[in-house]
Amino acid sequence: MVLKTKTTLIRIPLLYFTVLVINLLGCKTYGPVNVFNDQNPKRINYGELRNWAAHPDKRDNADLIPDSDGTAKSNLPADVFFIHPTIYNDKGKDLPWNPSIDDTELNQRVDNSTIKFQASAFNAAGRVFAPRYRQAHLVSYSSTDTLSAKKAFALAYADVKNAFEHYLKYYNNGRPIIIASHSQGTTHAGPLIKEFFDGSRIQQQLVAAYLVGMPISKDYFERIFPCESPTDLNCFTSWRTFRKGYVPTDRPVGDAILVTNPLSWTTDTTYVSANKNEGAVLRNFNKILTKRVDAQIHEGVLWANKPRFPWSFLLRRKNYHIADINFYYVDIRNNAKLRVQKWLEARN
C-alpha cells in the first residue's frame, strides 16, 4: 500500500537551487491549527483552463525544454497526467487545511516550480495535463490532528479524481497515458491508479507510472507490477533519494518497498555511476548538468553520493527528496519517451 510517512518536501520557488540548499539545511513549517471545517467544498470545474497548471490548450511552463528555445510538440500521440507535490506550506496559525483553487500567489509558485522543473521532464513523451488541486497543507503529514489531516487529503484527492475524470471524458480518446507524480502527488496517484487502472478496461492504456518521492510497496496494486527494465509497460516505478550511507529512521524502509534506479531503470542493487547520468536540472533551468549524480538502491531507498554543482558545499542534509526528479531529469525524460515508443510499437 501507499504508506503514511512524514515528508521533508518544502516549497520550490523560482530560485529553485537557493531554496533547495536552504531546505536541505532544514527549516520549520507552521500550518493550520484549527479543526478542518470545510464540510461542503465546491466542486472544481475542470472545463475551465484556469484550473489546470498545465494543459495542451494553453501555454504553460510544462511546455518548456531545458537548454532550448523551443517548446514541447503539441501533436504527441500520448498523454501525461502529472500530479504535483506540496507547494502549500505557508506559515500562519489560522490557515485553512486546503487553499483556495483561486489562490493566485500559490498558483504562481506551483507554475514556476514543480510545473517548470518537474512536469516539463515528461513533455517529450506526451501532452502534459497537470490539474490545480486544493492540496493538503504540508503540516497534514505530521499533524497530531489526524482527523483533520485525513479530511484535507480527502479533499485534495477528490479534486485530482475530478480532474482525471474530466480528462478521460473529454481528452483521452483511447490514447496511451503516463501517470507521473511527486511527494503529495504520489499520495494521490497511488489511489487514482488503483481506482481507474488496476484490473480495469483501461489498464492497457497505462504506459507506465512514475510515482516518485513516497514509499510504495511492491504489491500495492493487484494487477500492475513494478517495472523491471527500461522498456517494461503497464507497470510502475518509484524512488526516494538520500545521501549514500544514510537510511532514514522516521519513515518506512526495507525490501518490501519498491525502489527503481532512475539511471538503469532496474530494481537491483547494482551501483550506477554518475557517468551514466544524462543530465540534472537545478537552479538554472537552461543549464543541463551531466554526469553529476549517481544512484544505487539500498534497503528501500535510493542512495546518491553528494552531487557536484555550484555551491554544493552548502549541502549538508542527507535527505534529497526535493530533487528526486531534478537529479535525474534527462534520464526520466528519455525513459518516458522510450516507453511511449515501445507502447506504440506493441500496438502496431
Side-chain angles (χ1 to χ4, degrees), residues 21 50 73 129 211-212 242 297 306 340:
V21 171
R50 67 189 181 92
K73 296 179 180 179
F129 294 79
L211 309 179
V212 185
F242 295 86
I297 295 170
K306 184 177 178 179
V340 169

Side-chain angles (χ1 to χ4, degrees), residues 283-340:
R283 177 183 64 88
N284 185 349
F285 183 79
N286 290 315
K287 185 175 180 60
I288 297 173
L289 304 173
T290 60
K291 302 180 179 181
R292 303 298 178 96
V293 189
D294 57 4
Q296 184 175 22
I297 295 170
H298 180 84
E299 295 184 5
V301 299
L302 185 71
W303 272 359
N305 280 302
K306 184 177 178 179
R308 297 178 294 105
F309 51 84
W311 297 93
S312 61
F313 68 90
L314 292 174
L315 195 59
R316 297 286 185 262
R317 193 77 179 239
K318 297 177 181 179
N319 186 346
Y320 296 159
H321 175 81
I322 197 172
D324 284 325
I325 290 177
N326 300 87
F327 279 172
Y328 308 102
Y329 184 103
V330 178
D331 296 271
I332 295 168
R333 180 181 185 83
N334 292 341
N335 182 255
K337 182 178 180 180
L338 174 63
R339 291 190 201 268
V340 169

Side-chain angles (χ1 to χ4, degrees), residues 258-272:
L258 175 64
V259 185
T260 309
N261 189 317
L263 296 183
S264 65
W265 300 103
T266 63
T267 57
D268 61 54
T269 59
T270 303
Y271 171 75
V272 182

Side-chain angles (χ1 to χ4, degrees), residues 138-343:
L138 179 61
V139 159
S140 301
Y141 280 101
S142 57
S143 175
T144 56
D145 184 356
T146 56
L147 180 59
S148 288
K150 182 178 180 180
K151 291 179 179 179
F153 283 123
L155 175 57
Y157 178 70
D159 285 352
V160 171
K161 177 181 176 180
N162 179 15
F164 189 69
E165 288 176 328
H166 182 89
Y167 157 76
L168 284 179
K169 183 176 181 179
Y170 293 103
Y171 295 104
N172 178 254
N173 297 316
R175 295 158 61 88
I177 309 169
I178 287 175
I179 301 293
S181 59
H182 185 245
S183 199
Q184 183 174 161
T186 296
T187 295
H188 306 308
L192 187 79
I193 293 172
K194 180 170 284 191
E195 184 170 355
F196 286 89
F197 291 92
D198 199 6
S200 78
R201 63 179 179 80
I202 68 168
Q203 180 172 326
Q204 292 305 308
Q205 288 178 238
L206 180 65
V207 176
Y210 295 78
L211 309 179
V212 185
M214 284 290 184
I216 302 179
S217 65
K218 297 173 182 176
D219 62 354
Y220 175 67
F221 303 108
E222 291 185 8
R223 300 186 183 182
I224 300 174
F225 304 103
C227 302
E228 300 287 351
S229 80
T231 57
D232 281 355
L233 301 174
N234 313 123
C235 55
F236 69 107
T237 68
S238 183
W239 66 90
R240 299 168 296 154
T241 317
F242 295 86
R243 188 169 179 175
K244 186 174 182 179
Y246 177 73
V247 177
T249 58
D250 61 343
R251 64 205 70 208
V253 296
D255 292 338
I257 296 170
L258 175 64
V259 185
T260 309
N261 189 317
L263 296 183
S264 65
W265 300 103
T266 63
T267 57
D268 61 54
T269 59
T270 303
Y271 171 75
V272 182
S273 76
N275 289 333
K276 299 293 185 179
N277 189 316
E278 297 184 70
V281 176
L282 297 176
R283 177 183 64 88
N284 185 349
F285 183 79
N286 290 315
K287 185 175 180 60
I288 297 173
L289 304 173
T290 60
K291 302 180 179 181
R292 303 298 178 96
V293 189
D294 57 4
Q296 184 175 22
I297 295 170
H298 180 84
E299 295 184 5
V301 299
L302 185 71
W303 272 359
N305 280 302
K306 184 177 178 179
R308 297 178 294 105
F309 51 84
W311 297 93
S312 61
F313 68 90
L314 292 174
L315 195 59
R316 297 286 185 262
R317 193 77 179 239
K318 297 177 181 179
N319 186 346
Y320 296 159
H321 175 81
I322 197 172
D324 284 325
I325 290 177
N326 300 87
F327 279 172
Y328 308 102
Y329 184 103
V330 178
D331 296 271
I332 295 168
R333 180 181 185 83
N334 292 341
N335 182 255
K337 182 178 180 180
L338 174 63
R339 291 190 201 268
V340 169
Q341 290 174 344
K342 294 299 181 181
W343 190 96

Side-chain angles (χ1 to χ4, degrees), residues 56-72:
D57 291 341
K58 61 186 282 189
R59 295 182 64 180
D60 53 66
N61 284 345
D63 298 329
L64 301 177
I65 301 173
D67 196 23
S68 171
D69 293 329
T71 56

Side-chain angles (χ1 to χ4, degrees), residues 109-123:
R109 287 181 0 223
V110 169
D111 296 348
N112 291 326
S113 58
T114 173
I115 300 304
K116 180 177 180 179
F117 285 90
Q118 294 182 323
S120 65
F122 297 92
N123 66 25

